[in-house]
């Protein structure tokens, strides 16, 4: 089979399309012929070495949708699923995965990878934040996959959304180093995905008893929030990431998230689709942050 293999860390050029043996399915896994592969931003950080990755060379990628070839449950054969793997292997014509969710009939494979992980993360974050009608919510990187779903879900809850994005794609341009000073006062919930030491500036913008949910680090650095500033105003800081959050909270709502896509409540936003051979261009597109929505590879 054809697969994308990572050779060292660096720019998109370290990802090479090669012939590799098909994976051997283990008990509890499904073997899937992939139809669409998601390219999330965090994978560009793994590829560059900003986030530590596993041994190399290895087949890259974590999110894919396709048709089940083999499974413990024979009734799954021929069904479309979307898979998530913490160990890689998704950038390939065939993938084996233990985490998978059935895709509703009215959802395409491209829509499935555009929604399954980011919409599920957004839904799980909304549940953890307990956003209520009338509250004001700050969504950082609202033009991204997760941020876009967060903004839509918050609006559907009746919350007021204050959005940031780069390249002038929102009222608050977070390419400006001083963008946090433009955030209005009285924010009830911050969905923190940019990170860095200046994240603490948002504390003064929060209403008493506000909530901060830290789930990303687009800047490459974890957000810094001095405890004194949180305690003095009763602010709750919730960390959201890693296998525990993704393997439990996010996986628990994946069926619900895909159901919201199937019934039209959420519409997946696709930025661009690339053939597998153009994986370097796909990564460059994601890294540029110029697009809106999900970049997808098609084997």
């Amino acid at each position: 089979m054809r697969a994308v293999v990572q050779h060292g860390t660096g720019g998109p050029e370290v990802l090479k399309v090669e012939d590799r043996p098909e994976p051997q399915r283990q008990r509890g896994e499904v073997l899937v012929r992939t139809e669409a592969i998601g390219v999330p931003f965090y994978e560009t950080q793994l590829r560059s070495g900003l986030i530590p990755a596993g041994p190399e060379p290895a087949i890259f990628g974590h999110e894919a949708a396709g048709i089940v070839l083999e499974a413990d449950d024979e009734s799954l054969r021929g069904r479309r699923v979307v898979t998530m793997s913490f160990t890689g292997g998704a950038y390939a014509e065939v993938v084996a995965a233990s985490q998978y969710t059935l895709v509703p009939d009215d959802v395409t494979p491209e829509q499935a990878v555009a929604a399954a992980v980011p919409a599920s993360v957004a839904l799980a974050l909304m549940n953890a934040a307990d956003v209520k009608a009338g509250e004001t919510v700050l969504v950082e990187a609202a033009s991204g996959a997760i941020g876009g779903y967060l903004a839509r879900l918050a609006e559907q809850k009746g919350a007021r959304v204050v959005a940031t994005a780069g390249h002038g794609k929102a009222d608050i341009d977070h390419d400006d180093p001083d963008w946090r000073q433009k955030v209005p006062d009285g924010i009830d919930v911050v969905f923190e995905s940019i990170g860095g030491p200046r994240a603490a500036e948002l504390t003064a913008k929060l209403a008493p008893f506000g909530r901060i949910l830290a789930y990303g680090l687009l800047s490459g650095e974890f957000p810094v929030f001095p405890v004194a500033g949180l305690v003095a105003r009763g602010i709750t800081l919730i960390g959201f990431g890693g296998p525990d959050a993704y393997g439990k909270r996010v996986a628990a709502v994946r069926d619900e998230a895909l159901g919201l896509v199937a019934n039209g409540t959420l519409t997946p936003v696709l930025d661009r689709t690339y053939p597998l051979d153009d994986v370097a261009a796909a990564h460059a597109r994601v890294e540029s942050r110029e697009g809106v929505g999900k970049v997808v590879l098609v084997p």
Side-chain angles (χ1 to χ4, degrees):
M1 69 172 186
R2 294 167 66 251
V4 174
V5 178
Q6 179 180 2
H7 292 273
T9 56
E13 69 279 357
V14 304
L15 300 176
K16 307 290 185 183
V17 178
E18 301 177 357
D19 288 325
R20 283 293 178 105
E22 290 189 3
Q24 298 297 306
R25 183 183 74 86
Q26 304 298 315
R27 185 170 181 82
E29 294 181 333
V30 290
L31 190 69
V32 175
R33 183 163 299 283
T34 55
E35 299 174 296
I37 301 161
V39 186
F41 183 79
Y42 71 83
E43 287 184 344
T44 69
Q45 296 176 309
L46 285 166
R47 185 215 70 230
S48 71
L50 187 62
I51 298 176
E56 302 162 7
I59 297 176
F60 199 75
H62 304 83
E63 307 169 14
I67 302 298
V68 175
L69 301 175
E70 298 177 14
D72 294 344
D73 181 353
E74 282 295 316
S75 68
L76 289 175
R77 189 185 295 265
R79 300 288 302 275
R80 177 171 287 136
V81 297
V82 63
T83 68
M84 171 67 187
S85 169
F86 291 108
T87 56
Y91 285 21
E93 292 177 323
V94 179
V95 61
S98 58
Q99 280 204 32
Y100 58 90
T101 304
L102 286 170
V103 176
D105 292 338
D106 294 334
V107 177
T108 68
E110 292 82 5
Q111 289 174 324
V113 292
V117 172
S120 299
V121 171
L123 191 57
L125 283 165
M126 287 288 293
N127 290 342
D130 192 24
V131 174
K132 296 178 175 62
E135 291 190 316
T136 301
V137 172
L138 175 65
V139 178
E140 298 178 0
S143 65
I146 296 172
Y149 288 117
L150 279 169
R152 278 172 277 169
L153 289 168
E155 288 172 348
Q156 290 169 8
K157 280 274 192 180
R160 174 198 176 205
V161 174
V162 178
T164 86
H167 300 280
K169 291 179 287 187
D171 289 340
I172 298 177
D173 188 340
H174 62 222
D175 289 335
D176 177 357
D178 297 320
W179 68 265
R180 294 174 182 87
Q181 302 308 312
K182 300 174 183 177
V183 174
D185 294 333
I187 300 291
D188 296 292
V189 178
V190 173
F191 290 110
E192 169 60 57
S193 64
I194 294 176
R198 296 190 66 177
E201 295 174 19
L202 290 173
T203 306
K205 301 291 185 176
L206 279 155
F209 309 108
R211 291 95 75 198
I212 301 170
L213 287 91
Y215 73 95
L217 54 156
L218 294 180
S219 67
E221 298 179 279
F222 285 103
V224 177
F225 292 102
V227 173
L230 304 178
V231 171
R233 305 181 64 225
I235 293 169
T236 300
L237 174 62
I238 301 172
F240 197 100
D244 286 337
Y246 280 77
K248 296 175 183 176
R249 288 181 173 181
V250 174
V253 297
R254 198 161 289 147
D255 282 326
E256 182 181 355
L258 287 172
L260 293 175
V261 173
N263 68 25
T265 301
L266 289 178
T267 301
V269 178
L270 295 166
D271 179 49
R272 292 188 183 180
T273 299
Y274 294 84
L276 196 64
D277 286 328
D278 289 345
V279 60
H283 266 241
R285 175 67 177 176
V286 173
E287 215 159 24
S288 75
R289 306 186 194 177
E290 293 176 356
V292 176
K294 192 82 165 184
V295 170
V296 175
L297 292 170
V298 177

